């Protein structure tokens, strides 16, 4: 415990100027001075260290640090798991598991083809876990991986190898059906032909859809196909694919004008 004697100098705006016997000057809150103190009064100020309170505050501090470490410092983002979902002659769909970031936030997701970063990237605002890559070479092998950038650092996925199909391989075709003048038996016959070719079909347009078969524009599937730049072709396209035993260019069979910025797909 320490006790020091002061002489009160000036009292002003809630602060008191206190002088020691050896002429040191300090500012002191006048609210803490005894009642009736004025300039010239002599006061003794006693100070002692509260060790018990220090120890309590230190325990609170370290308990808080342990809680912060347990919540934010022990589990970082998991490495993404990548796979190929569907392959055609010139395109494929990459898919990854839902990202497990724990307490981190996603800044960006970058796609790499043969160790070259592609222009496509997926940010946290898109909320998707797949991407379709087009414009690939026919019957060509590629290596893909993704890198996620988070507030807790970067994580790289596994690397996957994928080879695009040969022109004679029709198994990558996935079609949906649009508007037909007489849906039956036409659509049923087309489904049988797809099964014979080893191709696939679905009732609705999805990210896996490669072509929409239709006789005329219109309908929900048509709108989705146009939105996602999926070729909308006449049934003759599929018949010619089967007849020639290899995939045929879609352009001659389009039932709508091809936008200038739409890349030709086989």
């Amino acid at each position: 415990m320490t006790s020091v004697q002061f002489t009160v100098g000036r009292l002003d705006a809630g602060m008191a100027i206190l002088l020691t016997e050896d002429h040191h000057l300090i500012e002191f809150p006048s609210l803490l001075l005894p009642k009736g103190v004025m300039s010239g009064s002599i006061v003794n100020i006693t100070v002692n260290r509260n060790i018990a309170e220090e120890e309590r505050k230190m325990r609170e501090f370290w308990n808080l640090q342990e809680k912060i470490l347990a919540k934010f410092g022990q589990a970082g983002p998991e490495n993404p798991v990548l796979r190929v979902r569907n392959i055609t002659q010139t395109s494929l769909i990459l898919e990854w598991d839902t990202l497990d970031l724990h307490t981190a936030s996603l800044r960006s997701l970058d796609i790499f083809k043969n160790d070259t970063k592609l222009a496509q990237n997926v940010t946290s605002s898109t909320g998707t876990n797949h991407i379709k890559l087009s414009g690939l070479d026919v019957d060509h092998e590629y290596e893909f991986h993704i890198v996620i950038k988070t507030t807790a650092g970067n994580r790289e996925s596994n690397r996957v190898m994928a080879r695009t199909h040969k022109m004679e391989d029709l198994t990558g075709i996935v079609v949906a059906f649009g508007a037909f003048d007489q849906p039956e038996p036409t659509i049923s016959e087309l489904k049988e032909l797809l099964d014979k070719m080893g191709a696939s079909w679905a009732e609705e347009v999805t990210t896996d859809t490669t072509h929409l078969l239709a006789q005329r524009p219109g309908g929900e599937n048509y709108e989705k196909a146009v939105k996602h730049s999926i070729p909308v072709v006449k049934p003759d396209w599929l018949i010619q694919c089967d007849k020639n035993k290899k995939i045929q260019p879609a352009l001659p069979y389009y039932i709508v004008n091809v936008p200038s910025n739409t890349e030709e797909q086989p």
Side-chain angles (χ1 to χ4, degrees), residues 18-37:
L18 305 182
L19 301 173
T20 65
E21 292 181 342
D22 53 357
H23 308 295
H24 286 90
L25 180 148
I26 66 169
E27 290 184 342
F28 194 80
S30 57
L31 182 65
L32 300 180
L33 294 175
K35 291 184 179 180
V37 169

Side-chain angles (χ1 to χ4, degrees), residues 156-220:
E156 181 177 319
S157 75
N158 56 303
R159 293 174 178 249
V160 295
M161 303 296 298
R163 176 177 286 275
T164 52
H165 289 175
K166 296 180 180 180
M167 296 301 290
E168 296 77 16
D169 188 348
L170 306 177
T171 58
I173 296 175
V174 181
V175 308
F177 301 95
F180 283 77
D181 295 328
Q182 292 183 336
E184 293 299 336
T186 305
I187 292 180
S188 295
E189 293 173 349
L190 290 172
K191 289 179 179 178
E192 292 178 2
L193 182 58
L194 287 162
D195 293 338
K196 171 191 169 185
M197 295 164 55
S200 304
W201 56 271
E203 297 295 342
E204 297 181 356
V205 172
T206 68
T207 54
D208 293 327
T209 303
T210 60
H211 300 79
L212 181 74
L213 298 182
Q215 291 177 332
R216 54 182 170 80
E220 184 177 350

Side-chain angles (χ1 to χ4, degrees), residues 2 61 193 259:
T2 301
F61 172 79
L193 182 58

